[in-house]
Amino acid sequence: MKKAVIVGYGNMGSKYAEQLYNGQIKDLSLYGVLCRNQPGQQKIRESMPGVVVFPDENAMFEACGNFDALIITTPHKEHVRVVQKAQHAGLHVLCEKPLGITVKECEVLSYEPAACVNAMVFNWRAREIYRQVREYIHCGNLGRLTQVVWTANFWYRPAFYHHASAWRSSWGGEGGGLLINQCQHLLDMWNWLFGQPCEVSAQLGYGRYSDIGVDDKTSLFFRHENGMWGVFVSSSGDSPGTNRLEIHGELGKLVAEDDRFLTIFRNEASTIQVAETSEEMYPKISCTEERREVKQAESEYTIILQNFADAMEGREEPLATIADGRRALENCNAAYLSDWRQKKTEIPCDAAAYDRELQKKIQEEL
C-alpha cells in the first residue's frame, strides 16, 4: 500500500483527498495534505481524522520518509518547483496540468526513465470516447490522415471565475488564460491522438468576453510533418458551446461529439486511389455510416488515480507522463509566440524568446 500527500487543498486537491481517504483507490492511501491556510487545516482535521496536515513545503519534505508520493494541485507557477523537489527526494509524482508556465523553466526536471513514476493529470485520456477514437485511427482504419477540425468552445467562464483568485487569468499568476489553463487538456489530446504538430499559426483574442488581459479566444492552425493539417478553435465565453472533433482520412471520417456520440464514415475506396485512377470529373465515393453512443462507465479522475497507483506498483504504465506535460506546454508556448509575432512558429519554439516575451506581458500587467 503506497501512501500519498496531496499538495494543495483547493478544488481538485480536496476531491482527490476525499477519494483516497475513503479507500476508493486500490493500493493508495492518503497520508497527509499540505494546506497553508488555517480554515482548510481545521476542515481536514475534522473531516479526515488521522491525516497529517502540513503547513508548508519544508515540513512536508522533512517527513518524506513516511510517504511515497505527491499529488500536486497547487497554482500553476508552483508546479515545476514542487516536481523538482519531489524528484530529488525520490518520490513518485502526479502533477495537475499544466506542468509549468514556460518550457524553459521545465528544463530543470528529469525526463529520463526512473524508478519513480512521474505522471500528469490529463484526465481526458481516461475518457472512453477518446480511447476509442485513438484505437480506431491508430489501427489504420482511416488510412492516411489528411485534416482535423476541433471546435471546443464549451469552457464558459464568467467574470466571477476569472477574479476568484488573485493569480487566476493573469500573465504573472497563471502564465496566460485559455491556452495555459483549459486547453492544456486538448493540446495534450491532440498530441496523444495525432502526434505533436511541427508548426502553428495562431490568432488569439484577449479579454474578448471578460475584463481580463489574457486570452479567452483562440484559433490555431497546426501543420504536421506527415502532411496532416489541423484547425483548433476554442473560447471561454460562448454558450451554448460545442465540442466536436472531426477527423478526415483517405478511408473515411470520424466524428466525436460532446464526449458522447461517435459517428464513423467508411469509404468503399481510398480517396487517394480514386484520385489517381478515376476517369470521371466528379466521382462519388460510396460510404457507410455508423453512429454509436459511448458511455463513461467510471469517473475519469478515479481512472487517473488508480492508474497512478498501478504504475507505482509496476502493473501499468502511466496514462500521461511529465514528458507529455512538457509537449503540451510546447504547443501552448509556440501558439502564444505565434500570435504575439503574427507569424508561423515552429514547435517547440525558441524557449528563451518565449520567456522574454512573457516577461514583457507580465510587466505590462503591473
Side-chain angles (χ1 to χ4, degrees), residues 175-217:
L178 181 66
L179 277 178
I180 197 73
N181 191 336
Q182 291 86 4
C183 286
Q184 279 292 291
H185 288 296
L186 303 189
L187 294 177
D188 170 67
M189 287 300 294
W190 194 284
N191 293 341
W192 192 56
L193 295 173
F194 315 116
Q196 187 170 27
C198 62
E199 184 181 82
V200 61
S201 296
Q203 188 73 46
L204 307 181
Y206 304 92
R208 292 293 184 92
Y209 301 96
S210 295
D211 183 21
I212 54 176
V214 296
D215 52 301
D216 54 5
K217 186 178 183 67

Short mmCIF file of all heavy atoms in Angstrom, two decimals, residues 175-217:
data_model
loop_
_atom_site.label_atom_id
_atom_site.label_comp_id
_atom_site.label_asym_id
_atom_site.label_seq_id
_atom_site.Cartn_x
_atom_site.Cartn_y
_atom_site.Cartn_z
N GLY A 175 0.23 32.60 -16.05
CA GLY A 175 1.03 32.43 -17.25
C GLY A 175 0.22 32.53 -18.52
O GLY A 175 0.67 32.14 -19.60
N GLY A 176 -1.01 33.06 -18.42
CA GLY A 176 -1.88 33.16 -19.58
C GLY A 176 -3.32 32.89 -19.19
O GLY A 176 -3.71 33.04 -18.04
N GLY A 177 -4.10 32.49 -20.17
CA GLY A 177 -5.52 32.24 -19.93
C GLY A 177 -5.98 30.91 -20.45
O GLY A 177 -5.58 29.86 -19.98
N LEU A 178 -6.82 30.95 -21.47
CA LEU A 178 -7.45 29.76 -22.02
C LEU A 178 -6.44 28.68 -22.44
O LEU A 178 -6.61 27.50 -22.14
CB LEU A 178 -8.31 30.17 -23.22
CG LEU A 178 -9.08 29.09 -23.96
CD1 LEU A 178 -10.17 28.49 -23.07
CD2 LEU A 178 -9.70 29.67 -25.25
N LEU A 179 -5.38 29.07 -23.13
CA LEU A 179 -4.42 28.09 -23.64
C LEU A 179 -3.63 27.40 -22.54
O LEU A 179 -3.39 26.19 -22.60
CB LEU A 179 -3.44 28.76 -24.61
CG LEU A 179 -3.91 28.93 -26.06
CD1 LEU A 179 -2.84 29.65 -26.87
CD2 LEU A 179 -4.23 27.59 -26.69
N ILE A 180 -3.21 28.15 -21.53
CA ILE A 180 -2.40 27.57 -20.46
C ILE A 180 -3.25 26.84 -19.43
O ILE A 180 -2.76 26.01 -18.68
CB ILE A 180 -1.56 28.66 -19.75
CG1 ILE A 180 -0.40 28.06 -18.94
CG2 ILE A 180 -2.42 29.52 -18.85
CD1 ILE A 180 0.72 27.55 -19.77
N ASN A 181 -4.55 27.11 -19.43
CA ASN A 181 -5.44 26.50 -18.45
C ASN A 181 -6.28 25.40 -19.11
O ASN A 181 -5.85 24.27 -19.25
CB ASN A 181 -6.33 27.57 -17.80
CG ASN A 181 -7.08 27.05 -16.59
OD1 ASN A 181 -7.32 25.85 -16.45
ND2 ASN A 181 -7.48 27.95 -15.71
N GLN A 182 -7.48 25.73 -19.51
CA GLN A 182 -8.41 24.71 -20.01
C GLN A 182 -7.86 23.93 -21.21
O GLN A 182 -7.99 22.71 -21.29
CB GLN A 182 -9.76 25.35 -20.38
CG GLN A 182 -10.56 25.87 -19.21
CD GLN A 182 -10.18 27.29 -18.81
OE1 GLN A 182 -9.35 27.94 -19.45
NE2 GLN A 182 -10.80 27.78 -17.75
N CYS A 183 -7.26 24.64 -22.15
CA CYS A 183 -6.86 23.98 -23.39
C CYS A 183 -5.64 23.08 -23.25
O CYS A 183 -5.28 22.38 -24.21
CB CYS A 183 -6.61 25.02 -24.48
SG CYS A 183 -8.14 25.74 -25.12
N GLN A 184 -4.99 23.08 -22.09
CA GLN A 184 -3.91 22.12 -21.89
C GLN A 184 -4.39 20.70 -22.11
O GLN A 184 -3.67 19.85 -22.65
CB GLN A 184 -3.32 22.26 -20.48
CG GLN A 184 -2.34 23.39 -20.32
CD GLN A 184 -1.05 23.15 -21.08
OE1 GLN A 184 -0.27 22.29 -20.74
NE2 GLN A 184 -0.84 23.93 -22.12
N HIS A 185 -5.62 20.41 -21.67
CA HIS A 185 -6.17 19.08 -21.88
C HIS A 185 -6.23 18.74 -23.37
O HIS A 185 -5.85 17.64 -23.78
CB HIS A 185 -7.59 19.00 -21.29
CG HIS A 185 -7.63 19.00 -19.80
ND1 HIS A 185 -7.09 17.98 -19.05
CD2 HIS A 185 -8.16 19.89 -18.92
CE1 HIS A 185 -7.28 18.24 -17.76
NE2 HIS A 185 -7.92 19.39 -17.66
N LEU A 186 -6.72 19.67 -24.17
CA LEU A 186 -6.93 19.38 -25.58
C LEU A 186 -5.63 19.43 -26.37
O LEU A 186 -5.48 18.69 -27.36
CB LEU A 186 -7.95 20.36 -26.16
CG LEU A 186 -9.31 20.36 -25.46
CD1 LEU A 186 -10.32 21.19 -26.22
CD2 LEU A 186 -9.85 18.95 -25.30
N LEU A 187 -4.68 20.26 -25.95
CA LEU A 187 -3.38 20.25 -26.60
C LEU A 187 -2.67 18.92 -26.34
O LEU A 187 -1.98 18.39 -27.22
CB LEU A 187 -2.53 21.42 -26.10
CG LEU A 187 -3.04 22.82 -26.48
CD1 LEU A 187 -2.15 23.90 -25.87
CD2 LEU A 187 -3.13 22.98 -28.00
N ASP A 188 -2.85 18.38 -25.15
CA ASP A 188 -2.31 17.04 -24.87
C ASP A 188 -3.05 15.99 -25.70
O ASP A 188 -2.42 15.08 -26.26
CB ASP A 188 -2.44 16.70 -23.39
CG ASP A 188 -2.13 15.23 -23.13
OD1 ASP A 188 -0.96 14.83 -23.29
OD2 ASP A 188 -3.07 14.47 -22.79
N MET A 189 -4.37 16.10 -25.77
CA MET A 189 -5.14 15.13 -26.55
C MET A 189 -4.74 15.16 -28.02
O MET A 189 -4.68 14.13 -28.68
CB MET A 189 -6.64 15.41 -26.41
CG MET A 189 -7.22 15.06 -25.06
SD MET A 189 -7.04 13.31 -24.67
CE MET A 189 -8.09 12.59 -25.92
N TRP A 190 -4.46 16.35 -28.53
CA TRP A 190 -4.03 16.47 -29.93
C TRP A 190 -2.76 15.65 -30.13
O TRP A 190 -2.64 14.87 -31.09
CB TRP A 190 -3.80 17.94 -30.28
CG TRP A 190 -3.68 18.18 -31.75
CD1 TRP A 190 -2.61 17.90 -32.55
CD2 TRP A 190 -4.70 18.72 -32.61
NE1 TRP A 190 -2.88 18.23 -33.84
CE2 TRP A 190 -4.16 18.73 -33.92
CE3 TRP A 190 -5.99 19.18 -32.41
CZ2 TRP A 190 -4.87 19.21 -35.02
CZ3 TRP A 190 -6.71 19.66 -33.49
CH2 TRP A 190 -6.15 19.67 -34.78
N ASN A 191 -1.80 15.82 -29.23
CA ASN A 191 -0.55 15.06 -29.33
C ASN A 191 -0.80 13.56 -29.21
O ASN A 191 -0.19 12.75 -29.91
CB ASN A 191 0.43 15.50 -28.24
CG ASN A 191 0.91 16.91 -28.40
OD1 ASN A 191 0.82 17.49 -29.48
ND2 ASN A 191 1.42 17.50 -27.33
N TRP A 192 -1.68 13.19 -28.28
CA TRP A 192 -1.95 11.78 -28.00
C TRP A 192 -2.63 11.09 -29.18
O TRP A 192 -2.33 9.94 -29.50
CB TRP A 192 -2.85 11.69 -26.75
CG TRP A 192 -3.00 10.33 -26.16
CD1 TRP A 192 -2.02 9.49 -25.73
CD2 TRP A 192 -4.25 9.66 -25.88
NE1 TRP A 192 -2.57 8.34 -25.20
CE2 TRP A 192 -3.93 8.42 -25.28
CE3 TRP A 192 -5.59 10.00 -26.06
CZ2 TRP A 192 -4.92 7.51 -24.87
CZ3 TRP A 192 -6.57 9.10 -25.66
CH2 TRP A 192 -6.23 7.86 -25.07
N LEU A 193 -3.52 11.80 -29.84
CA LEU A 193 -4.26 11.22 -30.95
C LEU A 193 -3.51 11.27 -32.27
O LEU A 193 -3.52 10.30 -33.04
CB LEU A 193 -5.61 11.93 -31.12
CG LEU A 193 -6.61 11.79 -29.98
CD1 LEU A 193 -7.82 12.70 -30.22
CD2 LEU A 193 -7.06 10.35 -29.81
N PHE A 194 -2.83 12.40 -32.54
CA PHE A 194 -2.30 12.63 -33.88
C PHE A 194 -0.78 12.81 -33.93
O PHE A 194 -0.22 12.94 -35.02
CB PHE A 194 -2.94 13.89 -34.50
CG PHE A 194 -4.43 13.94 -34.31
CD1 PHE A 194 -5.03 14.93 -33.56
CD2 PHE A 194 -5.25 12.97 -34.88
CE1 PHE A 194 -6.40 14.98 -33.38
CE2 PHE A 194 -6.63 13.01 -34.72
CZ PHE A 194 -7.20 14.01 -33.96
N GLY A 195 -0.13 12.82 -32.78
CA GLY A 195 1.28 13.17 -32.75
C GLY A 195 1.44 14.67 -32.64
O GLY A 195 0.53 15.44 -32.96
N GLN A 196 2.60 15.12 -32.20
CA GLN A 196 2.80 16.55 -31.98
C GLN A 196 2.97 17.29 -33.31
O GLN A 196 3.71 16.85 -34.19
CB GLN A 196 4.02 16.79 -31.09
CG GLN A 196 4.18 18.25 -30.68
CD GLN A 196 5.25 18.43 -29.62
OE1 GLN A 196 6.18 17.64 -29.54
NE2 GLN A 196 5.12 19.46 -28.81
N PRO A 197 2.31 18.43 -33.46
CA PRO A 197 2.50 19.24 -34.67
C PRO A 197 3.93 19.77 -34.72
O PRO A 197 4.63 19.84 -33.70
CB PRO A 197 1.50 20.39 -34.50
CG PRO A 197 0.57 19.96 -33.40
CD PRO A 197 1.35 19.04 -32.53
N CYS A 198 4.34 20.18 -35.91
CA CYS A 198 5.68 20.76 -36.06
C CYS A 198 5.63 22.27 -36.21
O CYS A 198 6.66 22.94 -36.11
CB CYS A 198 6.40 20.14 -37.25
SG CYS A 198 5.61 20.43 -38.85
N GLU A 199 4.42 22.81 -36.43
CA GLU A 199 4.30 24.25 -36.67
C GLU A 199 2.89 24.72 -36.33
O GLU A 199 1.93 23.97 -36.47
CB GLU A 199 4.60 24.53 -38.15
CG GLU A 199 4.62 25.98 -38.56
CD GLU A 199 4.90 26.11 -40.05
OE1 GLU A 199 3.95 25.97 -40.86
OE2 GLU A 199 6.07 26.34 -40.40
N VAL A 200 2.77 25.97 -35.88
CA VAL A 200 1.47 26.53 -35.54
C VAL A 200 1.39 27.98 -36.01
O VAL A 200 2.36 28.73 -35.96
CB VAL A 200 1.20 26.46 -34.02
CG1 VAL A 200 2.24 27.25 -33.23
CG2 VAL A 200 -0.20 26.92 -33.68
N SER A 201 0.21 28.34 -36.50
CA SER A 201 -0.14 29.74 -36.76
C SER A 201 -1.33 30.05 -35.87
O SER A 201 -2.35 29.35 -35.94
CB SER A 201 -0.52 29.96 -38.23
OG SER A 201 0.57 29.71 -39.08
N ALA A 202 -1.21 31.06 -35.02
CA ALA A 202 -2.23 31.32 -34.01
C ALA A 202 -2.84 32.70 -34.15
O ALA A 202 -2.15 33.67 -34.49
CB ALA A 202 -1.63 31.16 -32.62
N GLN A 203 -4.12 32.78 -33.86
CA GLN A 203 -4.83 34.05 -33.73
C GLN A 203 -5.61 34.00 -32.43
O GLN A 203 -6.52 33.19 -32.28
CB GLN A 203 -5.79 34.26 -34.91
CG GLN A 203 -6.43 35.63 -34.94
CD GLN A 203 -5.46 36.72 -35.38
OE1 GLN A 203 -4.74 36.55 -36.35
NE2 GLN A 203 -5.43 37.82 -34.65
N LEU A 204 -5.22 34.84 -31.47
CA LEU A 204 -5.82 34.81 -30.14
C LEU A 204 -6.58 36.10 -29.85
O LEU A 204 -6.23 37.17 -30.35
CB LEU A 204 -4.73 34.61 -29.07
CG LEU A 204 -3.78 33.42 -29.25
CD1 LEU A 204 -2.79 33.35 -28.10
CD2 LEU A 204 -4.55 32.12 -29.37
N GLY A 205 -7.59 35.97 -29.00
CA GLY A 205 -8.33 37.13 -28.53
C GLY A 205 -8.11 37.31 -27.04
O GLY A 205 -8.16 36.33 -26.28
N TYR A 206 -7.86 38.53 -26.60
CA TYR A 206 -7.56 38.81 -25.19
C TYR A 206 -8.67 39.66 -24.60
O TYR A 206 -8.97 40.75 -25.10
CB TYR A 206 -6.22 39.54 -25.07
CG TYR A 206 -5.08 38.78 -25.71
CD1 TYR A 206 -4.72 39.02 -27.04
CD2 TYR A 206 -4.38 37.81 -25.01
CE1 TYR A 206 -3.69 38.32 -27.64
CE2 TYR A 206 -3.35 37.10 -25.60
CZ TYR A 206 -3.01 37.35 -26.91
OH TYR A 206 -1.99 36.65 -27.51
N GLY A 207 -9.29 39.15 -23.53
CA GLY A 207 -10.37 39.89 -22.88
C GLY A 207 -11.53 40.16 -23.79
O GLY A 207 -12.17 41.22 -23.70
N ARG A 208 -11.86 39.23 -24.67
CA ARG A 208 -13.00 39.43 -25.58
C ARG A 208 -14.33 39.27 -24.87
O ARG A 208 -15.34 39.84 -25.28
CB ARG A 208 -12.91 38.40 -26.73
CG ARG A 208 -11.74 38.63 -27.68
CD ARG A 208 -11.89 39.91 -28.47
NE ARG A 208 -10.83 40.08 -29.44
CZ ARG A 208 -10.89 39.66 -30.70
NH1 ARG A 208 -11.98 39.03 -31.12
NH2 ARG A 208 -9.90 39.85 -31.52
N TYR A 209 -14.36 38.48 -23.79
CA TYR A 209 -15.61 38.18 -23.11
C TYR A 209 -15.67 38.72 -21.68
O TYR A 209 -16.74 38.89 -21.13
CB TYR A 209 -15.85 36.66 -23.07
CG TYR A 209 -15.91 36.02 -24.42
CD1 TYR A 209 -14.78 35.41 -24.97
CD2 TYR A 209 -17.08 36.00 -25.17
CE1 TYR A 209 -14.82 34.80 -26.22
CE2 TYR A 209 -17.14 35.40 -26.42
CZ TYR A 209 -15.99 34.80 -26.94
OH TYR A 209 -16.04 34.20 -28.17
N SER A 210 -14.51 38.94 -21.08
CA SER A 210 -14.45 39.46 -19.70
C SER A 210 -13.33 40.47 -19.60
O SER A 210 -12.45 40.55 -20.46
CB SER A 210 -14.21 38.32 -18.70
OG SER A 210 -15.28 37.42 -18.67
N ASP A 211 -13.34 41.24 -18.53
CA ASP A 211 -12.32 42.27 -18.31
C ASP A 211 -11.05 41.63 -17.78
O ASP A 211 -10.72 41.73 -16.60
CB ASP A 211 -12.85 43.33 -17.35
CG ASP A 211 -11.85 44.48 -17.16
OD1 ASP A 211 -10.98 44.65 -18.03
OD2 ASP A 211 -11.94 45.18 -16.13
N ILE A 212 -10.31 40.95 -18.67
CA ILE A 212 -9.04 40.31 -18.33
C ILE A 212 -8.03 40.63 -19.42
O ILE A 212 -8.41 40.99 -20.54
CB ILE A 212 -9.19 38.77 -18.18
CG1 ILE A 212 -9.81 38.17 -19.45
CG2 ILE A 212 -10.02 38.43 -16.96
CD1 ILE A 212 -9.89 36.65 -19.44
N GLY A 213 -6.76 40.49 -19.09
CA GLY A 213 -5.71 40.81 -20.06
C GLY A 213 -5.19 39.61 -20.80
O GLY A 213 -4.36 39.75 -21.71
N VAL A 214 -5.65 38.42 -20.43
CA VAL A 214 -5.14 37.19 -21.05
C VAL A 214 -6.15 36.65 -22.07
O VAL A 214 -7.23 37.19 -22.24
CB VAL A 214 -4.85 36.12 -19.97
CG1 VAL A 214 -3.72 36.58 -19.06
CG2 VAL A 214 -6.10 35.80 -19.16
N ASP A 215 -5.76 35.59 -22.74
CA ASP A 215 -6.55 35.04 -23.83
C ASP A 215 -7.80 34.32 -23.34
O ASP A 215 -7.76 33.54 -22.39
CB ASP A 215 -5.70 34.08 -24.67
CG ASP A 215 -5.01 33.03 -23.80
OD1 ASP A 215 -4.24 33.42 -22.91
OD2 ASP A 215 -5.23 31.81 -24.01
N ASP A 216 -8.91 34.58 -24.03
CA ASP A 216 -10.15 33.83 -23.78
C ASP A 216 -10.78 33.37 -25.10
O ASP A 216 -11.91 32.90 -25.13
CB ASP A 216 -11.15 34.63 -22.95
CG ASP A 216 -11.47 36.00 -23.54
OD1 ASP A 216 -10.99 36.31 -24.65
OD2 ASP A 216 -12.20 36.76 -22.88
N LYS A 217 -10.01 33.50 -26.18
CA LYS A 217 -10.48 33.08 -27.50
C LYS A 217 -9.27 32.68 -28.33
O LYS A 217 -8.25 33.39 -28.32
CB LYS A 217 -11.24 34.22 -28.19
CG LYS A 217 -11.91 33.86 -29.50
CD LYS A 217 -12.66 35.07 -30.04
CE LYS A 217 -13.42 34.75 -31.32
NZ LYS A 217 -14.54 33.82 -31.09
#
